[in-house]
């Protein structure tokens, strides 16, 4: 068996016999270089010790963070089965052709753009979410789009408070940029070129998070880690509670916490986001207090309006489709599908028979994004 290596940019690539560098594929489709071959190359003087040490250190750093080892463009293309002639579609100027774009009217006027990736890109983005993003440390204050957490967990800490403040982050996904996502992948341990490629796979033609990608919610949760920490610390200093479910942020406590609103807006702006002031809600004890659609005045409960909402949504989506239904009700929720499932799961906690019925009905619907 012939063995040949050459160093490029400090990393080893090469051939074994007539093939490319030996890789092993495990059950998670995680590729990594055979250390035995590297060791042989080192012993024969084909690569320098510094190169060997850098390759091993890179591999160990990623394995320590429990994420897949990806060495370079060729390796990444092999993982995702992307042909060289397709690179412009996945990483370059033709990326927009991999998305189906449609608009949903906002209640406040204008339209919200939904970008649904093609099935192939969706699978890649889901792999990145499952194998990389979901392995990262997430904010303790973020309750949306996380395993074993739901709108119920988001509402729990706000039960029985004098005042519940609801605020909304404007243009949630488009506010998360390529640069922030690139830094996230670099922080995990990926090389600059690999971090660049992964970031390109997760962003749209405008280099921001697309609404419609299965990876976008998890990426946004991680990018907002610092914002959550600052807002959570602010809440603790005044004896309040804080949580965030996607773009909905909530504070609760005594009536006096209303004074923090200007400071919250300032912190959010410093983290490159914007509060939609038209959606800020101050809900006092003598009013109905809602957090992500759940009533929290004295206990967590579901409103009659919520159950009617899921009944009507299932019927009309089944008859007219999700986009037409959302247009008809002038719904501008970025996560409408997840919103409906959240209602069904909550009902399931209160009434299993009824909740399971709604979940089965939701599973049978044809979702367009």
């Amino acid at each position: 068996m012939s063995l040949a290596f050459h160093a490029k940019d400090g990393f080893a690539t090469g051939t074994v016999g007539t093939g490319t560098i030996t890789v092993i594929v495990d059950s998670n489709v995680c590729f990594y270089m055979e250390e035995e071959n590297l060791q042989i190359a080192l012993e024969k003087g084909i690569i320098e010790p510094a190169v060997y040490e850098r390759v091993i250190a890179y591999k160990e750093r990623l394995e320590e963070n429990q994420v897949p080892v990806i060495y370079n463009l060729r390796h990444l293309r092999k993982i995702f089965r992307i042909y060289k002639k397709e690179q412009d579609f996945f990483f370059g100027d033709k990326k927009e052709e991999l998305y189906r774009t449609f608009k949903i009217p906002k209640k406040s006027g204008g339209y919200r753009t939904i970008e649904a990736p093609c099935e192939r890109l969706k699978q890649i983005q889901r792999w990145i979410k499952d194998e990389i993003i979901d392995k990262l440390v997430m904010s303790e204050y973020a309750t949306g789009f996380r395993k074993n957490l739901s709108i119920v967990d988001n509402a729990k800490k706000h039960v029985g408070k004098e005042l519940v403040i609801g605020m909304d982050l404007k243009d949630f996904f488009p506010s998360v940029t390529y640069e922030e996502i690139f830094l996230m992948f670099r922080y995990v341990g990926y090389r600059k070129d690999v971090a660049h490629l992964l970031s390109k796979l997760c962003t749209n033609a405008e280099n921001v998070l697309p609404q419609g990608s299965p990876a976008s919610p998890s990426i946004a949760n991680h990018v907002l880690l610092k914002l959550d920490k600052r807002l959570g610390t602010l809440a603790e200093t005044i004896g309040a509670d804080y949580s965030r479910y996607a773009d909905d942020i909530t504070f609760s406590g005594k009536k006096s916490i209303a004074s923090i609103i200007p400071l919250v807006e300032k912190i959010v702006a410093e983290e490159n986001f914007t509060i939609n002031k038209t959606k800020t809600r101050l809900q006092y004890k003598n009013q109905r207090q809602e957090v992500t659609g759940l009533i929290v005045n004295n206990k967590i409960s579901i409103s009659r309006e919520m159950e009617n909402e899921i009944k009507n949504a299932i019927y009309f989506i089944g008859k007219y489709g999700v986009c037409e239904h959302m247009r008809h009700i002038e719904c501008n929720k970025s996560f409408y599908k997840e919103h409906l499932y959240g209602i069904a799961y909550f009902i399931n906690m209160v009434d299993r028979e009824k909740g399971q019925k709604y979940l089965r009905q939701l599973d049978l619907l044809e979702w367009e994004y």
Side-chain angles (χ1 to χ4, degrees):
M1 177 185 296
S2 63
L3 176 67
F5 280 85
H6 67 276
K8 181 179 180 181
D9 192 22
F11 279 78
T13 59
T15 59
V16 178
T18 58
T20 58
I21 192 164
T22 300
V23 295
I24 298 174
V25 185
D26 69 12
S27 59
N28 291 320
V29 200
C30 172
F31 291 69
Y32 58 93
M33 198 178 300
E34 269 190 358
E35 290 187 31
E36 180 182 356
N37 288 340
L38 275 178
Q39 184 67 39
I40 295 172
L42 175 65
E43 291 172 355
K44 292 191 174 185
I46 299 171
I47 60 173
E48 297 293 327
V51 174
Y52 174 83
E53 290 172 4
R54 286 187 62 187
V55 174
I56 296 302
Y58 177 72
K59 178 175 180 290
E60 289 178 347
R61 167 73 186 276
L62 294 172
E63 289 178 341
E64 182 180 348
N65 288 326
Q66 299 182 334
V67 296
V69 179
I70 305 173
Y71 289 102
N72 51 31
L73 171 60
R74 177 183 292 182
H75 190 188
L76 184 139
R77 286 198 294 107
K78 190 177 184 70
I79 292 173
F80 297 130
R81 298 178 177 86
I82 297 173
Y83 295 105
K84 191 173 182 178
K85 63 183 180 180
E86 299 176 311
Q87 288 181 190
D88 279 347
F89 290 97
F90 288 92
F91 311 115
D93 297 336
K94 297 181 180 179
K95 187 193 298 186
E96 63 182 17
E97 296 183 31
L98 297 183
Y99 287 91
R100 181 172 61 87
T101 302
F102 54 93
K103 295 181 182 293
I104 296 174
K106 296 181 180 181
K107 288 183 179 179
S108 56
Y111 291 87
R112 183 185 303 278
T113 301
I114 302 296
E115 295 173 284
C118 68
E119 188 60 34
R120 192 170 165 206
L121 180 56
K122 183 189 295 184
Q123 291 176 358
I124 291 172
Q125 291 171 340
R126 187 174 289 117
W127 187 93
I128 293 173
K129 170 191 175 296
D130 294 340
E131 301 301 327
I132 301 178
I133 310 302
D134 287 350
K135 304 288 180 67
L136 307 181
V137 175
M138 291 294 176
S139 164
E140 62 182 292
Y141 303 102
T143 56
F145 311 104
R146 296 183 61 185
K147 190 175 181 180
N148 300 322
L149 293 178
S150 68
I151 57 174
V152 177
D153 299 283
N154 186 63
K156 278 179 181 177
K157 60 173 65 177
H158 305 296
V159 173
K161 302 295 179 64
E162 290 182 7
L163 175 62
V164 176
I165 303 174
M167 306 178 81
D168 180 80
L169 295 174
K170 187 177 180 180
D171 298 326
F172 184 53
F173 285 154
S175 296
V176 179
T177 65
Y178 161 89
E179 288 77 14
E180 293 168 308
I181 301 167
F182 173 81
L183 289 175
M184 176 190 70
F185 286 121
R186 285 289 287 157
Y187 179 79
V188 177
Y190 287 109
R191 301 175 61 201
K192 288 183 179 179
D193 59 334
V194 175
H196 165 74
L197 295 168
L198 290 170
S199 299
K200 283 293 186 180
L201 288 170
C202 295
T203 53
N204 61 16
E206 285 72 43
N207 287 322
V208 297
L209 279 184
Q211 297 193 29
S213 162
S216 290
S218 294
I219 291 173
N221 269 346
H222 188 76
V223 169
L224 266 68
L225 188 64
K226 184 181 175 184
L227 173 62
D228 283 338
K229 181 64 176 177
R230 293 184 68 183
L231 294 181
T233 301
L234 172 63
E236 290 172 9
T237 61
I238 62 170
D241 284 296
Y242 164 73
S243 69
R244 180 180 58 80
Y245 190 95
D247 54 356
D248 288 325
I249 63 178
T250 306
F251 292 88
S252 65
K254 296 185 179 298
K255 294 179 181 179
S256 58
I257 70 169
S259 62
I260 70 169
I261 291 177
L263 185 52
V264 171
E265 293 173 348
K266 180 176 181 292
I267 291 173
V268 168
E270 289 173 352
E271 297 300 325
N272 300 316
F273 284 85
T274 306
I275 293 291
N276 187 341
K277 295 183 181 181
T278 63
K279 293 187 177 182
T280 297
R281 307 169 304 281
L282 275 68
Q283 305 167 105
Y284 293 92
K285 191 67 176 176
N286 61 342
Q287 302 170 315
R288 188 160 97 169
Q289 297 172 317
E290 288 190 22
V291 176
T292 48
L294 303 177
I295 300 172
V296 296
N297 288 71
N298 300 305
K299 63 178 182 178
I300 296 179
S301 58
I302 188 169
S303 65
R304 181 176 300 176
E305 293 92 337
M306 181 178 284
E307 188 165 359
N308 287 338
E309 178 184 356
I310 194 170
K311 284 181 180 178
N312 291 335
I314 289 171
Y315 174 77
F316 287 110
I317 291 174
K319 189 171 183 179
Y320 300 109
V322 62
C323 291
E324 186 59 34
H325 173 62
M326 292 179 73
R327 290 191 187 97
H328 179 72
I329 64 174
E330 297 183 346
C331 176
N332 66 344
K333 290 183 182 296
S334 304
F335 325 101
Y336 188 56
K337 175 182 177 181
E338 292 80 5
H339 169 72
L340 292 178
Y341 269 93
I343 295 174
Y345 279 117
F346 175 69
I347 295 174
N348 187 61
M349 295 176 63
V350 180
D351 185 331
R352 181 171 175 77
E353 182 178 349
K354 189 180 292 185
Q356 287 295 309
K357 178 187 72 173
Y358 290 137
L359 287 169
R360 286 193 299 271
Q361 291 174 342
L362 288 172
D363 287 341
L364 292 174
L365 296 177
E366 183 175 344
W367 298 99
E368 298 179 37
Y369 70 95

